[in-house]
Amino acid sequence: MTVHTRISDGSTQMHAGDTLAKRNALVLAVAQALGGANPAIVVSLGGMVGQMLAENKQFATVPVSLSHLGLALGTIPAAMLMKRAGRRTGYVMGGSIGVLAGCMAAFGIASTSFLIFCLGTFIAGFYSSFVQSYRFAATDTASDGFRPRAIAWVMSGGIAAGIVGPQTVIWTQDLIDNVPFAGAFLGQAALALVAIVVVAFLRAPPVVAKSTVGGGRPLREIVSQPRFIVAVVAGLVSYALMSFMMTAAPLAMIGCGLPVGAAALGIQWHILAMFVPSFFTGRLIVRFGKERVTATGLILIALAAVVGLSGLTVWHFWTVLVLLGLGWNLGFIGATALVTDCYRPEERAKVQAANDFLVFGATATASFGSGTLLNASGWDLVNWLVFPPIMIALALLFWQNRGKIVVPA
């Protein structure tokens, strides 16, 4: 009872000092809206440009897959750069990479070079590895009580990104005469340039000299913590299954004879379901706990698979995509909050990098395999494969919530 009182009092006092954390979270939410448009543009146009440029049309989706690969491979270098140079400097450099990516992709289209275009989308994925860490940066100056809300605030920027990305495509795809879609990638570069200006307002903690505090515990020791394993598994399952089902669903709709417009509208609802709940996810975590919110997200993803197995109408697919978005939001934000409990300040860069490498590496694999599996075995198998990883993640969360996992001092 005494411990509870101390935590409550301490939380109240720390919340009073969260002014800087709130400011940073708002800055990062705006940056998320700009940087989050980057993958939306690549996903929207990558396949069409690939179809236009690739000699072998079977490779048309390679540019999109390479963007996922770039995201996974960029997580560790991005984290190490920010550890040495600081968050703000790292994000400015990340934005510069985003400008380069858009310009290179546009040049690849203009020169009809599939290879150069693919290189541009791969670098765009590298830029996304910086953007994905915004959610962790929001916790750097936040109290324990405000951390879940800070993460949710940043993720809410994805709502705007879901609008900014498609609108950029619509308004700029024909900007350059006789070079279709190149203007959209120049628009992508322009958004990254604006993001550089935005992140310049971030007031991140100063870089702490390594000699002062040491490098913290070895990474192997940290990642072997049961609590870290649970957090990574939950985040990995939430994100990878979302990517797995989201990639397959529109293809399955078209395969069932449903109109392309219905598939596109389903993806729009899915994106809204992914990010709109961010306005209250943080409060739910504070009230009910990280484990319970994360478990609820996983259950919603499983429910999406149940609906997917129950019918093939437009409404079935739309319901699947909405439940999938809601489940991803609760599961991924909850898992991110769990990760923040696993490291000390001097350890955050390497632990966040390890987490994101594992999560987005699995997401890239899911993206590569989803379409192939759908073509080979059908929509039903895609849904059935959701249940085993969900059950494993839920079992680990239940074990943790029972108090069997202790965080080392």
Side-chain angles (χ1 to χ4, degrees):
M1 190 72 178
T2 304
V3 173
H4 176 75
T5 303
R6 286 179 181 174
I7 291 174
S8 299
D9 292 343
S11 178
T12 302
Q13 291 170 3
M14 294 173 79
H15 274 297
D18 275 326
T19 302
L20 177 59
K22 292 176 181 178
R23 180 186 184 279
N24 283 341
L26 289 173
V27 168
L28 291 165
V30 176
Q32 179 76 35
L34 297 166
N38 169 67
I41 293 171
V42 174
V43 170
S44 297
L45 297 179
M48 286 187 284
V49 175
Q51 185 78 18
M52 183 175 68
L53 298 180
E55 293 185 10
N56 187 337
K57 304 309 178 185
Q58 291 183 350
F59 297 138
T61 59
V62 167
V64 178
S65 297
L66 284 175
S67 70
H68 290 299
L69 181 62
L71 169 57
L73 295 180
T75 52
I76 293 176
M80 295 302 101
L81 172 62
M82 287 183 283
K83 181 180 179 180
R84 292 177 178 272
R87 292 282 196 192
R88 184 165 58 187
T89 300
Y91 289 145
V92 169
M93 294 185 68
S96 301
I97 292 172
V99 174
L100 173 63
C103 291
M104 183 167 290
F107 178 71
I109 297 172
S111 61
T112 65
S113 172
F114 182 63
L115 180 61
I116 294 176
F117 178 71
C118 285
L119 182 59
T121 60
F122 175 78
I123 296 174
F126 216 88
Y127 169 44
S128 291
S129 66
F130 286 86
V131 176
Q132 287 291 344
S133 71
Y134 289 165
R135 71 192 196 279
F136 283 121
T139 68
D140 288 349
T141 55
S143 68
D144 291 343
F146 185 65
R147 281 179 182 175
R149 293 177 60 189
I151 295 168
W153 283 19
V154 174
M155 297 301 290
S156 69
I159 301 171
I163 298 172
V164 171
Q167 288 301 313
T168 299
V169 171
I170 292 170
W171 286 97
T172 62
Q173 60 180 325
D174 298 320
L175 187 64
I176 302 175
D177 292 338
N178 301 319
V179 189
F181 308 124
F185 287 94
L186 291 179
Q188 173 190 343
L191 291 174
L193 188 61
V194 176
I196 293 174
V197 177
V198 172
V199 295
F201 289 92
L202 182 68
R203 294 182 182 174
V207 178
V208 180
K210 189 172 182 179
S211 58
T212 303
V213 296
R217 293 166 293 171
L219 182 60
R220 180 177 298 180
E221 177 184 340
I222 300 170
V223 301
S224 63
Q225 295 178 89
R227 188 172 185 84
F228 179 82
I229 294 171
V230 172
V232 169
V233 169
L236 186 155
V237 168
S238 298
Y239 214 123
L241 288 182
M242 184 276 293
S243 176
F244 183 66
M245 293 187 70
M246 180 192 68
T247 302
L251 299 174
M253 292 180 74
I254 294 170
C256 291
L258 299 173
V260 174
L265 189 57
I267 292 297
Q268 289 182 12
W269 282 110
H270 170 71
I271 292 173
L272 288 173
M274 284 175 66
F275 293 108
V276 169
S278 299
F279 288 113
F280 53 81
T281 303
R283 294 183 181 275
L284 291 176
I285 291 174
V286 171
R287 181 170 181 180
F288 297 106
K290 304 177 185 72
E291 292 86 357
R292 291 181 181 178
V293 170
T294 305
T296 301
L298 292 167
I299 291 170
L300 286 172
I301 293 174
L303 185 58
V306 172
V307 175
L309 289 166
S310 65
L312 298 173
T313 68
V314 169
W315 287 103
H316 281 95
F317 282 106
W318 283 0
T319 302
V320 167
L321 289 166
V322 169
L323 288 172
L324 194 61
L326 292 172
W328 174 85
N329 182 281
L330 297 179
F332 185 61
I333 293 179
T336 299
L338 284 170
V339 172
T340 64
D341 292 338
C342 298
Y343 55 79
R344 301 164 184 164
E346 66 272 20
E347 299 166 346
R348 65 185 175 219
K350 59 187 178 184
V351 177
Q352 292 167 6
N355 174 78
D356 280 1
F357 177 77
L358 293 169
V359 170
F360 296 122
T363 301
T365 303
S367 175
F368 273 110
S370 180
T372 302
L373 181 66
L374 178 69
N375 290 330
S377 304
W379 174 242
D380 278 358
L381 183 59
V382 170
N383 286 279
W384 280 113
L385 289 177
V386 167
F387 299 114
I390 290 286
M391 293 180 66
I392 292 171
L394 286 174
L396 289 172
L397 283 166
F398 177 75
W399 178 39
Q400 177 171 287
N401 209 35
R402 294 273 294 181
K404 295 181 180 179
I405 296 179
V406 179
V407 182

